[in-house]
Amino acid sequence: MSSIIQLLPDHVANQIAAGEVVQRPASVVKELMENAVDAKATDIKLIIKDAGKALVQVIDNGGGMSITDARLCFERHATSKIRLAEDLFSLGTKGFRGEALASIAAIAHVEMKTKQEQDELGTQIVIEGSKFVSQEAAVLPKGTSFAVKNLFFNIPARRNFLKSDTVEYRHIVDEFQRVALAHPTIHFTFYHNGSEMFNLPSSTLRQRVVNVFAGKTNEKIVPVQEDTDIVTIQGFVSKPEFAKKSRGEQFFFVNDRFIKSGYLHHAIMAAYDGILKDGAQPSYFLYLTVPPNTIDINIHPTKTEIKFDDEHAMYAILRASIKHSLGQFNIAPVLDFDRDANLDTPYSFKDLGGATPTIQVDRTFNPFSDDKINKHYAGGGGGGNVSYKKTASTANWESLYVGLDKEEEFVATSGIEFESEMVTGSLFNDGEIEQTVQNTYQIHRKYIVSPIKSGMVIVDQQRAHQRVLYEQFLTNMTVNQASSQQLLFPLELYFSTTEMELIADLKLSLVNTGFIFDDSYGEHVVINGIPVNVVESEVSILLEQLLSDLQDGIPENSFSQNDSIAKSMSRSLAVKTGTSLTIKEQENLVNGLFACKEPNVSPFQKPTFITMRVEDIDKKFAV
């Protein structure tokens, strides 16, 4: 019987490996930028077109490669980072698998230009689907340039699997930010479709964080610094009042490598315990430096998860350092045993008792006596050299009462008319008190019970309000007849660069809901008007929730986009469980719900009410 097991051809093996290494254009960005960092580049440029589907190019001024290395780097398992298996436990570089370039070359058109500083000429190589098309010498500057074009050109199924340009672009920005934040001393530049998106010069750690996220980031963060034998921690955490609903701006770096760790995230949340609102997420940018032999970074294909030798100690140190930082900058309450020496009692007065003040009263003083007044205010009263003289108008005060007879002590009131209030109705009708019929009742500040002919209806107040607001917003955006309330003072809100781009894409839909935008700048947006059912204090929360809900991408279809915005806004503005409603508010909510086109379910397909018939209640009491 012939054998059925055979070796795969190299191009097939490379395509299979590409499934793990290259999931989307952002994966190519990550691999190429990490290679540029490993090449000790001080200036790295990232150029993309059509969200990386048409072009991903990384240009660096690093060490470059020789002719042999330039050809060999596209072979599988070819790497300059490790030699022995033991090297995996002492890694100080990014890429080390040796599969990245081979995998990328298997599914795209790749053009590489590289030159070492001591060489006169560089090398230019063109590869299409693992096939070498050309290799020739060229006059090039020092460094390396990788241009990856037409990603997944030979795997149409994978290309169709890619999301919209907005989603893919956001993934690329995420990877760019992770590499840029890990290396603040390198100058990074990012271009998308010919427009400069980021220009991050070499700077300090704090400046790099501020340059990446713009806005008022510098005012929102406080430093964290801790040095122990196990780990050295430095970085920044946000103040509790600037916590967000989403978990976007949260970064862990271990030995300059971005990682994800739910365990360490829990340590940070424990440090913020008691000073954060429910559901709020703090921002943090933390850099952990540990001995390379105490971690294992080879446990996940994307190398974003690592294993620590002593996770419990890491948890405790991280939690304590953040708690200390929050207390040090008077953000969290702490016990302070330091006293101000200026508030202490002077030594010479230590044993002296307080003297009881004496009070002197001049019992002969008469304020209506002429000589007493002049004597008192002329300086005898201690008020300065001020003298008062009777004026002619006050000297003859007796003349004011001339003509009044002492016998006429009472005034006749018979001719005086008093203004009376008009009685519009009687408080009592036929001897009985008028009673208003209450048609709704609130239970546990969550449900509204209203009687109906066949029994009663129980309404979930939060879901019902979501349905009412959802249809209102959707109607306003469709008909373009939203009502707005003008703000006396314009509202300025600051967002990061990526969030500002999302708001620019959503601007037209937000205007249709009732927002009035004055102008948008690079770091903030100015709002002059808001929808009538939105409170000014809720605007920032509303937009923040909207950006969080749409962080995975804005639907390209206009109706789907309006639907997503209406859902997000209704979720943010709906009355929450635990809110007490007046009888009028309860009735308006119930009436508004049953006036909707689809009152049965909320915008998120959850039931808004249930009905109970009298027969069902009778069965509960049946013996």
Side-chain angles (χ1 to χ4, degrees), residues 63-66 69 114-122 141-143:
M65 290 181 284
S66 63
D69 290 341
T114 182
K115 173 184 173 295
Q116 292 180 321
E117 187 174 10
Q118 65 273 16
D119 296 337
E120 294 183 359
L121 295 176
K142 172 199 170 186

Side-chain angles (χ1 to χ4, degrees), residues 53-77:
K53 299 175 184 178
L55 171 68
V56 174
Q57 185 175 10
V58 175
I59 304 172
D60 67 72
N61 63 346
M65 290 181 284
S66 63
I67 298 178
T68 304
D69 290 341
R71 184 66 180 258
L72 194 60
C73 70
F74 289 101
E75 299 295 330
R76 290 192 69 200
H77 307 305

Side-chain angles (χ1 to χ4, degrees), residues 189-471:
T189 315
F190 181 16
Y191 299 92
H192 182 212
N193 291 336
S195 300
E196 183 180 271
M197 310 308 297
F198 290 93
N199 190 347
L200 309 175
S202 176
S203 60
T204 62
L205 204 57
R206 190 181 191 111
Q207 290 173 338
R208 175 56 54 90
V209 173
V210 173
N211 291 336
V212 169
F213 293 100
K216 291 188 175 182
T217 308
N218 193 40
E219 303 175 9
K220 301 177 182 179
I221 57 178
V222 294
V224 178
Q225 181 70 42
E226 194 68 38
D227 192 359
T228 66
D229 294 337
I230 299 176
V231 60
T232 298
I233 302 174
Q234 63 175 338
F236 308 92
V237 294
S238 67
K239 301 176 182 177
E241 60 266 28
F242 297 107
K244 297 184 176 182
K245 293 287 185 181
S246 62
R247 298 179 57 176
E249 299 175 3
Q250 296 179 343
F251 296 88
F252 276 119
F253 298 95
V254 176
N255 294 354
D256 293 337
R257 180 189 296 274
F258 172 79
I259 68 160
K260 298 176 182 179
S261 175
Y263 188 68
L264 296 183
H265 173 75
H266 188 275
I268 294 179
M269 297 304 294
Y272 277 92
D273 188 27
I275 58 176
L276 278 183
K277 297 179 181 178
D278 292 339
Q281 293 287 335
S283 301
Y284 52 80
F285 314 90
L286 296 174
Y287 299 78
L288 283 64
T289 303
V290 298
N293 57 353
T294 62
I295 57 174
D296 185 3
I297 63 177
N298 201 31
I299 63 173
H300 193 273
T302 60
K303 305 299 179 285
T304 56
E305 296 181 13
I306 65 176
K307 177 69 176 176
F308 295 96
D309 283 353
D310 194 349
E311 287 187 338
H312 297 290
M314 194 74 64
Y315 182 100
I317 295 172
L318 183 61
R319 177 179 175 273
S321 61
I322 294 177
K323 209 170 186 65
H324 173 72
S325 179
L326 295 176
Q328 182 180 5
F329 292 93
N330 297 325
I331 295 173
V334 294
L335 290 175
D336 189 2
F337 295 99
D338 295 333
R339 72 178 191 278
D340 189 354
N342 295 324
L343 300 179
D344 292 343
T345 303
Y347 181 78
S348 58
F349 293 94
K350 182 178 180 183
D351 298 326
L352 295 179
T356 304
T358 58
I359 300 176
Q360 295 180 355
V361 180
D362 185 3
R363 298 184 181 277
T364 63
F365 175 73
N366 183 3
F368 299 101
S369 177
D370 296 343
D371 55 345
K372 293 291 183 181
I373 294 176
N374 292 332
K375 191 179 297 182
H376 179 73
Y377 286 101
N385 298 324
V386 180
S387 62
Y388 290 87
K389 294 178 65 177
K390 275 190 175 182
T391 61
S393 59
T394 58
N396 301 323
W397 60 272
E398 296 89 348
S399 63
L400 297 175
Y401 299 92
V402 175
L404 295 177
D405 296 331
K406 294 183 179 179
E407 290 80 11
E408 297 180 359
E409 296 180 357
F410 301 97
V411 180
T413 60
S414 59
I416 300 177
E417 295 182 359
F418 294 94
E419 183 179 359
S420 61
E421 296 182 357
M422 182 180 296
V423 179
T424 58
S426 175
L427 181 62
F428 300 97
N429 186 13
D430 297 334
E432 295 181 358
I433 301 176
E434 284 188 328
Q435 294 181 350
T436 58
V437 179
Q438 183 175 349
N439 294 323
T440 59
Y441 303 88
Q442 190 179 28
I443 300 178
H444 294 296
R445 298 181 181 179
K446 184 176 183 180
Y447 300 108
I448 300 174
V449 179
S450 178
I452 57 176
K453 186 176 181 180
S454 60
M456 64 178 179
V457 61
I458 304 175
V459 179
D460 186 311
Q461 65 183 33
Q462 183 172 358
R463 295 179 183 178
H465 200 202
Q466 287 177 352
R467 165 53 63 178
V468 174
L469 292 176
Y470 169 74
E471 294 199 3

